[in-house]
């Protein structure tokens, strides 16, 4: 009994399929690395909180202890927000390139690259605000804080403007196109 050889069209399709599978592998590795960094940041924040709170328990009631706890808490929030951003990147890339995950909250369902960008922009703005808060808590005196605050405000304004523009592009179809919510013209 002889085996039939696959046709050249079929072998070309298999080769093409393998070629297109390679980017999915690359993205899969990116998903894993973003998830690993996210997990590492969450663990680091937990360990840092444990050490900071443990060290502060013996000094509760002292004037500088409360301020030190506030600074540590805002720095932890900043670390957690970066961890969340990396988790969103991981889940978003997974959804866009590999396959949708069904066990994530509805607000985290990412269907387009623009969805991913919008979610990340919100986390970035929040992280910048928390970072400024931590710096402001440690600020002693001088005009340095104004320059730093103005730089963060400029970035937040730019991100906000971009987010508004991105949102308008997603909600209004281009001329000649009809979106999902388009009403028929009379």
């Amino acid at each position: 009994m002889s085996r039939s050889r696959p046709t050249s069209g079929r072998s070309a399709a298999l080769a093409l399929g393998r070629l297109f599978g390679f980017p999915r592998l690359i993205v899969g590795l990116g998903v894993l690395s973003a998830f690993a960094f996210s997990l590492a940041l969450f663990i680091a924040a937990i360990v840092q909180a444990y050490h900071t709170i443990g060290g502060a328990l013996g000094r509760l009631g002292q004037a500088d202890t409360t301020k030190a706890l506030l600074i540590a808490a805002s720095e932890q929030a900043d670390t957690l927000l970066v961890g969340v951003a990396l988790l969103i990147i991981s889940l978003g890339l997974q959804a866009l390139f590999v396959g949708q995950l069904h066990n994530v909250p509805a607000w985290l369902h990412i269907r387009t690259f623009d969805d991913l960008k919008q979610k990340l922009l919100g986390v970035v703005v929040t992280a910048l605000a928390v970072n400024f808060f931590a710096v402001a808590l440690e600020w002693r005196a001088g005009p340095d804080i104004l320059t730093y605050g103005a730089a963060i405000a400029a970035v937040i304004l730019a991100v906000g403007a971009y987010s508004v523009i991105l949102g308008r592009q997603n909600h209004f179809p281009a001329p000649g196109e009809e979106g999902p919510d388009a009403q028929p013209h009379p």
Side-chain angles (χ1 to χ4, degrees):
M1 177 191 252
S2 68
R3 292 186 164 201
S4 62
R5 300 176 80 199
T7 63
S8 63
R10 185 172 177 202
S11 63
L14 287 174
L16 191 60
R18 286 187 193 124
L19 180 66
F20 284 118
F22 185 68
R24 289 179 76 181
L25 173 66
I26 300 285
V27 171
L29 293 173
V31 166
L32 288 175
S33 67
F35 183 77
F37 271 113
S38 175
L39 183 61
L41 285 172
F42 276 99
I43 291 170
I46 291 167
V47 170
Q48 185 64 40
Y50 175 79
H51 288 293
T52 301
I53 293 169
L57 285 177
R59 298 177 295 140
L60 289 178
Q62 296 177 7
D64 63 334
T65 303
T66 302
K67 188 170 184 176
L69 283 173
L70 279 172
I71 292 168
S74 62
E75 288 173 350
Q76 183 193 33
D78 192 39
T79 301
L80 291 172
L81 284 168
V82 173
V84 166
L86 288 168
L87 183 61
I88 290 172
I89 288 171
S90 176
L91 296 174
L93 290 175
Q94 167 71 28
L96 291 174
F97 289 95
V98 181
Q100 282 285 346
L101 296 173
H102 300 290
N103 58 345
V104 295
W107 67 268
L108 197 48
H109 283 261
I110 297 170
R111 291 169 187 79
T112 67
F113 190 64
D114 288 339
D115 285 349
L116 179 59
K117 289 190 290 188
Q118 282 286 44
K119 287 173 184 14
L120 286 174
L121 290 176
V123 174
V124 166
V125 167
T126 306
L128 286 170
V130 167
N131 181 271
F132 179 76
F133 179 67
V135 169
L137 284 173
E138 293 181 277
W139 178 61
R140 300 281 184 224
D144 297 349
I145 190 106
L146 295 175
T147 306
Y148 186 68
I152 286 183
V155 171
I156 289 174
L157 285 172
V159 167
Y162 176 74
S163 182
V164 167
I165 291 168
L166 184 64
R168 286 187 180 161
Q169 287 176 345
N170 289 339
H171 294 301
F172 298 109
E177 293 181 0
E178 291 194 40
D181 299 329
Q183 299 292 325
H185 293 288

